[in-house]
Amino acid sequence: MKMTRVRVESFTIALDGYAAGPNQDIGNPLGVGGTDLHQWLVPTRTFQQILFGANDGATGIDDDFAARGFKNVGAWILGRNMFGPIRGSWPDMNWKGWWGDNPPYHVPAFILTHHARPPIQMEGGTTFHFVTGGIHEALDRARDAANGMDVRIGGGVHTIQQYLRTGLIDELHIAISPVLLGSGERLFEGIDVRTLGYECVQFVASGKATHVVLRRQGHNDA
């Protein structure tokens, strides 16, 4: 039986290390300029199928990495910014995420927040659960929900950093996009991933991104 792994997949950073641009709001979910990071991902067959239900899209290296991110994933963990632009207490229950009625997760997704909210059952198998007890509670609940499959940490930057610092992430796929954001949030700011035990186990370039897989020593695909 395979052990449940904790993975980061298809997380994209710019050449200057930023994974999100400044001034995130409802019109700029990834911050100003942040959508430029994902020029490798959006055209892929995987993205087009999962997001839009399309039957076409680009194949090749980029699509291979996009597709692997959804394999054997039984639950997600997301920071609150990945769910929406609202800060503080919930003004109402109307906002149900960036993705509309049928989000791309299709499994339980656990949202880190300081403000409780009842679960939201969406179309396609996604249920959003709101966790106020921190990263360890979220991971325990996600592991249980995954039922032996893997847990994917979707981001954003602060959420991944918290799990990295505690050594809870087994593997990260980072896509390096050939753009410059200039400011925003850097993924590895203040984090010594080498000392934490991570090493590069794969390094592949396409025409639109360089794909890097980092794995914590002592962990493999089994």
Side-chain angles (χ1 to χ4, degrees):
M1 180 180 294
K2 287 189 174 182
M3 297 292 291
T4 295
R5 295 183 302 153
V6 180
R7 297 155 44 197
V8 172
E9 298 283 352
S10 299
F11 198 81
T12 309
I13 64 175
L15 287 174
D16 47 2
Y18 294 104
N23 303 318
Q24 183 195 45
D25 57 26
I26 195 167
N28 296 283
L30 300 175
V32 176
T35 55
D36 292 342
L37 293 172
H38 300 287
Q39 296 176 36
W40 72 271
L41 177 62
V42 174
T44 63
R45 175 175 293 179
T46 297
F47 188 93
Q48 292 296 313
Q49 287 179 340
I50 290 176
L51 268 295
F52 306 115
N55 293 319
D56 56 4
T59 59
I61 292 172
D62 292 333
D63 186 56
D64 291 343
F65 276 96
R68 64 164 260 167
F70 290 91
K71 292 178 180 177
N72 198 47
V73 173
W76 288 64
I77 295 174
L78 305 170
R80 180 163 170 179
N81 292 5
M82 294 289 291
F83 177 74
I86 302 167
R87 304 292 183 267
S89 60
W90 304 100
D92 53 53
M93 299 295 117
N94 294 329
W95 180 267
K96 296 182 179 180
W98 295 107
W99 303 101
D101 294 332
N102 191 354
Y105 306 108
H106 308 301
V107 293
F110 295 85
I111 313 298
L112 293 164
T113 177
H114 295 294
H115 300 275
R117 179 173 174 173
I120 307 173
Q121 188 170 348
M122 308 293 289
E123 296 177 12
T126 301
T127 300
F128 291 120
H129 300 272
F130 299 87
V131 181
T132 59
I135 63 170
H136 295 283
E137 178 188 334
L139 182 55
D140 288 343
R141 293 179 60 181
R143 285 185 188 275
D144 288 343
N147 194 28
M149 300 175 73
D150 292 344
V151 174
R152 178 170 170 177
I153 310 291
V157 170
H158 183 59
T159 296
I160 293 175
Q161 288 175 340
Q162 289 183 81
Y163 282 103
L164 268 178
R165 289 191 178 101
T166 51
L168 292 172
I169 295 175
D170 298 310
E171 186 172 282
L172 303 91
H173 161 226
I174 306 297
I176 304 170
S177 181
V179 300
L180 298 169
L181 290 184
S183 63
E185 298 178 345
R186 283 194 172 103
L187 178 61
F188 296 121
E189 186 76 37
I191 298 178
D192 186 343
V193 290
R194 180 173 178 174
T195 297
L196 289 170
Y198 294 91
E199 59 183 359
C200 180
V201 297
Q202 191 174 7
F203 184 89
V204 182
S206 72
K208 296 182 177 179
T210 298
H211 300 277
V212 178
V213 177
L214 304 178
R215 186 176 299 151
R216 193 157 60 91
Q217 294 176 16
H219 289 70
N220 53 38
D221 293 330

